[in-house]
Amino acid sequence: MTTTERAGTGDGLVEMAWDPITRIVGSLGIYTKIDFAQKRVAECFSTSSIFRGYSIFMKGKDPRDAHFITSRICGICGDNHATCSVYNQNMAYGVRPPHLGEWIINLGESAEYMFDHNIFQENLVGVDYCEKMVSETNPGVLEQANRTEAPHAGEHGYRTIGDIMRSLNPFTGEFYREALQVSRYTREMFCLMEGRHVHPSTLYPGGVGTVATVQLMTDYLSRLMRYVEFMKKVVPMHDDLFDFFYEALPGYEQVGLRRTLLGCWGSFQDPEYCNFEYKDMTEWGRKMYVTPGVVVDGKLVTTDLVEINLGIRILLGSSYYEDWESQEMFVRQDPLGNPVDRRHPWNQHTNPKPQKRDLDDKYSWVMSPRWFDGKDYLALDTGGGPLARLWSTALAGLLDIGYVKSTGTSVQIKLPKTALKGPVEFEWKIPQWSNTLERNRARTYFQAYSAACALHFAEKALVESRRRASASGSPRRSAACSATTW
């Protein structure tokens, strides 16, 4: 971190920069001007110093290798890139995976959400709310936390908010260390379904290469039920912690507050409906177990994946690229005859132009994706993912699988009895704000959501496995789930 006083300017601003922000990734930098007297950030720029270049060096590659290559974009969420690549290939080749293959992909992605949101929330985000951090930045809040009884102490085991904060201390806190163990077995869950984390080895267009035996499902479910029990502790604990910060620091709702502009592309395909044909994408998109949608100022604008797709624009913003305005347009119409804009990703050219960072002009390797609503180019926020997923699903009111139900104003999550705890019901309600605390809260609830969906997917996969075993007369053959085998 660097700090510079703006001496002689008379504006009272202090320039502060964090570059790199290593808690996230080494290529991210934040440059600000802060008015400490008014407790206000006057200016803020985010930069990325890394050029990835995948859109360039993927040219000429065999498309069947696309998911293996693109997963290397990231060492944390590589499997998400691989999954999206496989979905794209399914559409391009006109193939539809067998149901069992799709359930296995859903189980793998559920485990990825559980792993990723757990380690990010508890071992990265949680540090901001731990005893050591709060004692240094706001000791009065820690004193209040030590005096404040936790409303759900009986559910999570921590008597006061201060006890919760102590449990989050890095490396020494009880809950911090427990979360590290959880990240281990959720990663094991992913590997059971997709072979390797974070670069899947059994994921292919048209299906998977996973051997789907009853033993495999049992190994997955034994870990999943441990996670379900863990979530019965985590959700009420985080509710207590986040609600306390609203109470202890009036005005804290302004932290990270932005206009409610959310974009969700959906998640978890339903193989009963998803045929990966573009002409049917509106219908099968709405059958996904996370409903796609665009939310503007708290209102659901659309759940149509075709409309969402066609509205995407890639603007240059302050990035180190040259325009492609005069270059070839690859696609002028989509398969339904709708016009495709020159700024749509399908028509994007990548023309890098390295140069010195200039915060008044070009300063980042990241372009500026927007969603065009016919009038404005909206900077949709995914809220770190979970906020957009829950908000869109809640408003749409399309999902009801028993374990999870969207009501139009909330998402209800039902977790069954586990080894030490009885059945529990949670309800994520659409919040008043799109801010930091609500993004964090949504991340917690979506962990429970993913676990509940995984229970549904596992039940479906077991039924399909047994049906195939009965049809083939061989438990070993029942495991095969690639389109080439079945």
Side-chain angles (χ1 to χ4, degrees), residues 130-142 165 169:
C130 76
E131 177 198 40
K132 290 185 177 179
M133 180 70 76
V134 177
S135 66
E136 294 179 12
T137 58
N138 207 325
V141 170
L142 179 59
M165 291 180 175
N169 284 335

Side-chain angles (χ1 to χ4, degrees), residues 151-165:
H152 299 96
E155 296 166 52
H156 53 67
Y158 297 107
R159 187 179 65 83
T160 67
I161 302 299
D163 291 334
I164 295 176
M165 291 180 175

Side-chain angles (χ1 to χ4, degrees), residues 36 177 185 240 322 385 396 432 436 447:
F36 282 97
R177 288 184 282 112
Y185 68 72
D240 285 353
E322 292 185 327
Q432 183 177 350
T436 298
Q447 290 175 250

Side-chain angles (χ1 to χ4, degrees), residues 273-323:
Y273 300 93
C274 181
N275 59 10
F276 289 102
E277 293 188 26
Y278 189 91
K279 67 181 179 65
D280 300 321
M281 191 164 73
T282 298
E283 287 71 31
W284 56 256
R286 288 174 176 151
K287 295 294 185 179
M288 296 171 82
Y289 292 97
V290 174
T291 308
V294 172
V295 178
V296 178
D297 296 327
K299 296 182 179 179
L300 187 62
V301 174
T302 182
T303 57
D304 185 347
L305 270 181
V306 173
E307 184 180 357
I308 294 171
N309 170 55
L310 291 173
I312 299 174
R313 303 287 186 270
I314 305 297
L315 308 184
L316 291 177
S318 301
S319 63
Y320 304 132
Y321 298 93
E322 292 185 327
D323 205 349

Side-chain angles (χ1 to χ4, degrees), residues 188-429:
E188 290 171 354
M189 290 165 64
F190 180 90
C191 292
L192 286 168
M193 293 300 150
E194 297 190 25
R196 183 174 57 194
H197 191 272
V198 296
H199 307 301
S201 58
T202 60
L203 193 61
Y204 311 108
V208 297
T210 304
V211 180
T213 62
V214 173
Q215 181 63 54
L216 178 87
M217 295 300 170
T218 302
D219 290 343
Y220 184 97
L221 279 168
S222 65
R223 291 165 174 82
L224 176 58
M225 293 308 290
R226 288 171 62 191
Y227 190 85
V228 168
E229 182 155 302
F230 177 67
M231 290 315 301
K232 294 175 182 179
K233 170 183 178 178
V234 174
V235 173
M237 188 190 86
H238 283 165
D239 273 339
D240 285 353
L241 182 65
F242 298 147
D243 289 346
F244 168 79
F245 271 86
Y246 280 134
E247 177 186 340
L249 292 170
Y252 200 82
E253 69 276 0
Q254 296 295 318
V255 177
L257 181 66
R258 72 186 305 273
R259 182 184 175 191
T260 304
L261 298 172
L262 302 170
C264 173
W265 327 123
S267 190
F268 303 140
Q269 307 293 351
D270 186 340
E272 293 286 344
Y273 300 93
C274 181
N275 59 10
F276 289 102
E277 293 188 26
Y278 189 91
K279 67 181 179 65
D280 300 321
M281 191 164 73
T282 298
E283 287 71 31
W284 56 256
R286 288 174 176 151
K287 295 294 185 179
M288 296 171 82
Y289 292 97
V290 174
T291 308
V294 172
V295 178
V296 178
D297 296 327
K299 296 182 179 179
L300 187 62
V301 174
T302 182
T303 57
D304 185 347
L305 270 181
V306 173
E307 184 180 357
I308 294 171
N309 170 55
L310 291 173
I312 299 174
R313 303 287 186 270
I314 305 297
L315 308 184
L316 291 177
S318 301
S319 63
Y320 304 132
Y321 298 93
E322 292 185 327
D323 205 349
W324 60 86
E325 187 67 32
S326 61
Q327 293 179 265
E328 175 189 4
M329 279 188 67
F330 301 116
V331 183
R332 295 183 181 274
Q333 291 184 328
D334 75 353
L336 298 175
N338 299 306
V340 178
D341 192 85
R342 180 179 289 278
R343 292 283 169 193
H344 190 274
W346 291 351
N347 288 316
Q348 178 185 337
H349 291 259
T350 303
N351 306 313
K353 186 180 180 182
Q355 55 195 280
K356 183 179 179 180
R357 177 187 291 159
D358 181 355
L359 294 181
D360 293 323
D361 187 19
K362 309 296 183 187
Y363 55 81
S364 179
W365 279 111
V366 175
M367 297 186 191
S368 300
R370 297 291 185 267
W371 193 73
F372 187 60
D373 67 351
K375 179 182 178 182
D376 299 312
Y377 293 95
L378 303 176
L380 301 184
D381 174 25
T382 64
L387 186 65
R389 293 183 218 123
L390 289 171
W391 208 310
S392 175
T393 301
L395 286 176
L398 298 176
L399 182 66
D400 186 359
I401 58 172
Y403 291 113
V404 180
K405 180 180 180 180
S406 57
T407 68
T409 58
S410 68
V411 174
Q412 297 171 347
I413 304 166
K414 297 181 180 180
L415 300 180
K417 179 182 178 181
T418 50
L420 301 176
K421 294 179 181 289
V424 170
E425 294 186 18
F426 297 123
E427 185 172 19
W428 179 87
K429 298 179 181 178

Side-chain angles (χ1 to χ4, degrees), residues 57-166:
F57 65 73
M58 283 299 295
K59 291 180 180 179
K61 299 292 192 297
D62 190 321
R64 292 170 297 181
D65 292 332
H67 56 294
F68 292 123
I69 298 173
T70 56
S71 79
R72 268 68 182 179
I73 289 175
C74 183
I76 300 171
C77 58
D79 60 284
N80 303 125
H81 296 282
T83 299
C84 290
S85 177
V86 165
Y87 289 163
N88 288 336
Q89 291 179 74
N90 289 343
M91 296 183 77
Y93 308 152
V95 297
R96 181 177 184 176
H99 290 191
L100 184 54
E102 203 65 71
W103 295 129
I104 286 174
I105 292 176
N106 285 352
L107 286 167
E109 290 308 293
S110 297
E112 164 61 20
Y113 283 132
M114 289 182 255
F115 161 78
D116 179 90
H117 293 351
N118 168 74
I119 198 168
F120 187 82
Q121 185 86 321
E122 316 307 347
N123 302 123
L124 296 175
V125 171
V127 175
D128 291 336
Y129 307 98
C130 76
E131 177 198 40
K132 290 185 177 179
M133 180 70 76
V134 177
S135 66
E136 294 179 12
T137 58
N138 207 325
V141 170
L142 179 59
E143 292 175 7
Q144 184 176 341
N146 287 328
R147 298 191 305 266
T148 303
E149 299 285 332
H152 299 96
E155 296 166 52
H156 53 67
Y158 297 107
R159 187 179 65 83
T160 67
I161 302 299
D163 291 334
I164 295 176
M165 291 180 175
R166 276 180 285 280

